[in-house]
Amino acid sequence: MNASVPLRLSLRNTLDALVADGWLNAKQVANLLTKVPELTPLHPLTVIADADLSHATEPQRKLTLETLVQWLAQRSGLPYLRIDPLGIEVSKVTTLISYAYAARLKILPVKVTAGEVTVAVADPYAREWLQELTPRLKQKITAVLANPRDIERYLVEFYALARSVKASASQSGRSGSLQNLEQLTELGKLGKLSADDQHIVGIVDWLLQYAFDQRASDIHLEPRREQGNVRFRIDGVLHEVYQVPASVMPAVTSRLKIMGRMDLAEKRKPQDGRIKIRSPEGREVELRVSSLPTAFGEKLVLRIFDPEVLVKDFSALGFAPEEQARWRGLIEAPHGIVLVTGPTGSGKTTTLYSTLKLLATSEVNICTIEDPIEMVEPAFNQMQVQTNINLGFADGLRALLRQDPDIIMVGEIRDLDTAENAIQAALTGHLVFSTLHTNDAPSAIVRLLDLGVPPYLIKATVLGVMAQRLVRKLCPHCKRPATVDPVDWQRLTGGLLPLPAPGQVQEPVGCLECRETGYLGRVGLYEILTVDDLLRAAIDTAADRLALHRKARASGMVPLRLAGARMAVTGLTSLADVAALTPEMEAS
């Protein structure tokens, strides 16, 4: 292949090139050809990767498909591209060429700009399509080499989605509006959708499976005047995924409301629903659906709950060994109140459910009251707040106390009535878990005082408070060392960390694995305050947060920002993310 450019990529000339470059030897090639016919219709790189071969001169180096694609890109002179589906405007690229043409030539448009079209190819030597498409598209065409399996997969997914959207839009044009799903529901014909309605089903199924593939925690469907926007929240950041025609958006919304057992006829009031579906790996995943009326239709947010997060131990949630010991000391108490604080999306639900799952044995009765129930867990007795019948946290808690509970979880303490009932439950021998929305752990004590809870009751019942945040983990594939400015370190830690500024930390870079963000996944940061004798002495009607903060640190509490700084020193996250997500250190 070096001496002359082949007309087509074949298994024989690919193997010959790998031998010439020293990647394979003659024995490996002979063994492979005894198992696979030389004229196989499969892509040569796929065949070689599936053979599980090692590099001829570096036995520890496996010849994976991605490695082979990068080798071929370098040899053929084409740029290498790792296809990122979130970076592709599906509605644009699928209009350039037909699916039949793209599938026959194994090419996929991946980017469209004002004067250029980028096309991913599986065979760098097949160029006849270039002469055919250039006059038709009237734009410069740039070819890039990509993983043949990715091209095959996204060809099917993208064009199937585009067909469904187009068919739904054309149906809308014929009928004037896409109300057929609602009409079928009203007629009691759920499950008997017509052939045309299957396009909407296809769009929704793709949307959910795609969200699972991309590790999304939330799906946002936002109606606008000209189109509907679909966005995924991944590692705490929203990414735009697709734009649905405005005429199709109501049907997609209706389909999801059907799946969530919500009232289709009601579009003026917010609603909540729940969907159970299987992920591509076969796991059962639960989605909480929330609707909100907006200027251009109903906005939906689907929060994805993976039941497998409940089987994680505390170290997998990000607890350091000393934090695990402090937390276990609180949750293993026979009675009292344990509070978890933090903003929305800080992982409070995961922490509480994981804790309750750990405590849920056959010897104890665990009851919860939530608004709404985040995840249905068979090990608990769960009750949901029903504001329409005046069943709030306080009333629900009073009812739970008549159910002989051992452990109670109250979704949130919002008012004095709920706080008093939680305290009464703790005083009568129950272990109570609840949440508050405060920036740090000491502020939870101040919040209870502000609600009107007497200091002596706080001293008698509150065992401890844990504040938490979720910081992004640095991508292991692209993070790189960075020096630390001592002044920045001092500003970050407030001079309270008993360690000098580290020689270096890690910083984000960005690669295809992390979609150029530099981060991959999230992990918890924790600030655990234990209410001991020293802290009880500081709790009175005149207590302020700074005074409590000083006492808490004296009792061994590690503030969130210091916990984050320590984690950054280990290279798991960045100092920038810690600074952005944790409250500033206060002067002692």
Side-chain angles (χ1 to χ4, degrees):
M1 286 191 345
N2 270 335
S4 61
V5 176
L7 294 176
R8 287 277 181 184
L9 198 64
S10 69
L11 182 59
R12 168 54 70 180
N13 59 34
T14 303
L15 289 170
D16 288 345
L18 284 166
V19 171
D21 287 355
W23 283 51
L24 291 177
N25 57 41
K27 183 180 178 181
Q28 289 173 303
V29 171
N31 287 340
L32 176 63
L33 291 176
T34 60
K35 301 173 185 176
V36 181
E38 190 174 328
L39 298 178
T40 175
L42 298 174
H43 193 282
L45 297 187
T46 303
V47 173
I48 298 167
D50 289 345
D52 195 29
L53 299 173
S54 297
H55 196 285
T57 58
E58 303 172 42
Q60 76 280 2
R61 185 179 174 193
K62 287 287 185 182
L63 299 188
T64 63
L65 184 54
E66 210 63 48
T67 301
L68 290 167
V69 173
Q70 292 176 32
W71 163 80
L72 184 59
Q74 186 174 8
R75 202 169 208 280
S76 64
L78 280 188
Y80 162 77
L81 175 73
R82 176 82 175 271
I83 297 177
D84 176 12
L86 284 181
I88 298 175
E89 295 185 68
V90 178
S91 55
K92 279 188 178 182
V93 301
T94 51
T95 60
L96 296 175
I97 56 177
S98 69
Y99 170 75
Y101 185 82
R104 178 168 59 85
L105 294 169
K106 295 182 175 58
I107 62 175
L108 175 68
V110 291
K111 187 176 181 181
V112 185
T113 61
E116 185 179 9
V117 176
T118 303
V119 178
V121 302
D123 185 345
Y125 303 109
R127 298 294 182 93
E128 67 273 15
W129 60 270
L130 206 54
Q131 285 76 34
E132 295 170 359
L133 286 182
T134 302
R136 177 183 164 188
L137 299 180
K138 297 178 182 176
Q139 288 177 295
K140 178 187 175 184
I141 299 178
T142 300
V144 294
L145 190 69
N147 187 316
R149 281 193 175 134
D150 285 349
I151 291 176
E152 185 178 353
R153 173 191 172 183
Y154 294 125
L155 264 175
V156 174
E157 287 189 10
F158 291 168
Y159 279 89
L161 174 66
R163 280 196 300 270
S164 294
V165 171
K166 185 177 179 181
S168 301
S170 63
Q171 175 187 338
S172 174
R174 291 194 302 272
S175 61
S177 64
L178 265 173
Q179 301 298 323
N180 51 324
L181 288 174
E182 296 178 26
Q183 292 165 6
L184 286 172
T185 304
E186 290 165 8
L187 293 173
K189 295 181 180 179
L190 282 175
K192 299 181 180 179
L193 302 177
S194 68
D196 284 342
D197 295 325
Q198 289 304 314
H199 295 302
I200 299 299
V201 175
I203 293 170
V204 171
D205 287 349
W206 173 84
L207 184 67
L208 297 178
Q209 296 300 321
Y210 193 32
F212 299 148
D213 286 347
Q214 302 302 318
R215 303 179 297 105
S217 60
D218 300 85
I219 305 170
H220 290 241
L221 289 92
E222 303 166 327
R224 297 290 188 265
R225 187 186 301 276
E226 302 297 332
Q227 78 281 319
N229 293 335
V230 178
R231 297 195 288 172
F232 292 169
R233 187 177 295 280
I234 303 171
D235 294 338
V237 179
L238 280 171
H239 299 261
E240 191 163 299
V241 174
Y242 197 72
Q243 291 187 333
V244 180
S247 58
V248 176
M249 196 66 174
V252 173
T253 301
S254 294
R255 171 65 185 169
L256 287 165
K257 289 177 71 176
I258 289 173
M259 295 172 69
R261 297 178 176 84
M262 298 159 74
D263 184 359
L264 281 175
E266 180 57 74
K267 299 178 184 297
R268 300 166 300 166
K269 294 195 303 184
Q271 294 185 63
D272 291 304
R274 199 174 294 274
I275 297 172
K276 278 195 174 181
I277 195 170
R278 291 204 175 273
S279 71
E281 296 80 25
R283 300 194 317 271
E284 189 176 77
V285 178
E286 194 163 294
L287 298 94
R288 196 184 78 201
V289 189
S290 172
S291 72
L292 183 75
T294 69
F296 299 106
E298 285 184 287
K299 177 185 186 296
L300 291 189
V301 174
L302 290 79
R303 173 156 287 189
I304 301 171
F305 294 103
D306 185 347
E308 285 197 1
V309 301
L310 298 186
V311 301
K312 289 182 177 179
D313 59 23
F314 291 136
S315 59
L317 294 175
F319 281 82
E322 62 274 16
E323 291 170 343
Q324 285 193 54
R326 288 172 70 89
W327 183 240
R328 283 182 178 276
L330 294 176
I331 68 174
E332 291 173 359
H335 54 80
I337 297 176
V338 179
L339 299 171
V340 180
T341 77
T344 301
S346 60
K348 299 189 300 295
T349 298
T350 300
T351 299
L352 282 173
Y353 272 70
S354 297
T355 300
L356 293 177
K357 186 78 177 286
L358 180 73
L359 299 174
T361 64
S362 58
E363 290 82 20
V364 298
N365 174 22
I366 297 181
C367 297
T368 75
I369 178 165
E370 305 171 60
D371 182 22
I373 295 172
E374 302 279 9
M375 285 180 275
V376 176
E377 172 50 52
F380 317 149
N381 301 293
Q382 296 170 281
M383 176 170 67
Q384 180 162 321
V385 165
Q386 303 280 354
T387 53
N388 57 326
I389 57 171
N390 296 319
L391 176 61
F393 281 119
D395 294 324
L397 187 48
R398 276 190 285 268
L400 286 185
L401 289 173
R402 295 191 288 273
Q403 291 289 312
D404 187 29
D406 297 293
I407 299 172
I408 299 170
M409 197 268 276
V410 183
E412 184 183 351
I413 293 177
R414 298 174 179 170
D415 50 44
L416 179 59
D417 200 8
T418 305
E420 288 177 337
N421 279 282
I423 287 169
Q424 186 62 38
L427 289 172
T428 52
H430 303 89
L431 182 60
V432 181
F433 291 91
S434 190
T435 69
L436 284 172
H437 288 288
T438 60
N439 278 334
D440 54 30
S443 297
I445 303 296
V446 179
R447 176 66 56 83
L448 291 176
L449 290 168
D450 289 344
L451 287 175
V453 179
Y456 74 91
L457 287 179
I458 297 175
K459 296 176 186 180
T461 56
V462 177
L463 301 172
V465 185
M466 182 170 74
Q468 68 178 81
R469 297 289 190 279
L470 289 178
V471 292
R472 294 178 294 172
K473 293 192 290 186
L474 285 167
C475 174
H477 304 281
C478 64
K479 65 181 181 180
R480 68 185 178 198
T483 56
V484 180
D485 186 333
V487 175
D488 291 340
W489 179 258
Q490 180 81 6
R491 187 181 302 118
L492 178 73
T493 64
L496 296 170
L497 191 64
L499 288 173
Q504 68 176 30
V505 291
Q506 300 287 322
E507 67 178 5
V509 178
C511 66
L512 292 167
E513 294 290 339
C514 59
R515 299 182 187 88
E516 303 298 334
T517 64
Y519 297 93
L520 195 61
R522 290 192 291 176
V523 68
L525 283 182
Y526 303 98
E527 171 183 282
I528 303 175
L529 175 154
T530 302
V531 180
D532 57 12
D533 291 338
L534 183 63
L535 199 66
R536 287 190 187 97
I539 299 175
D540 54 42
T541 51
D544 62 73
R545 190 174 64 84
L546 286 179
L548 286 170
H549 226 294
R550 288 192 292 271
K551 296 289 187 181
R553 289 204 298 270
S555 297
M557 184 192 81
V558 178
L560 278 167
R561 183 156 285 195
L562 297 194
R566 287 176 174 174
M567 187 176 286
V569 170
T570 68
L572 191 59
T573 188
S574 69
L575 290 175
D577 217 45
V578 170
L581 293 170
T582 57
E584 290 185 13
M585 297 297 302
E586 307 277 5
S588 295

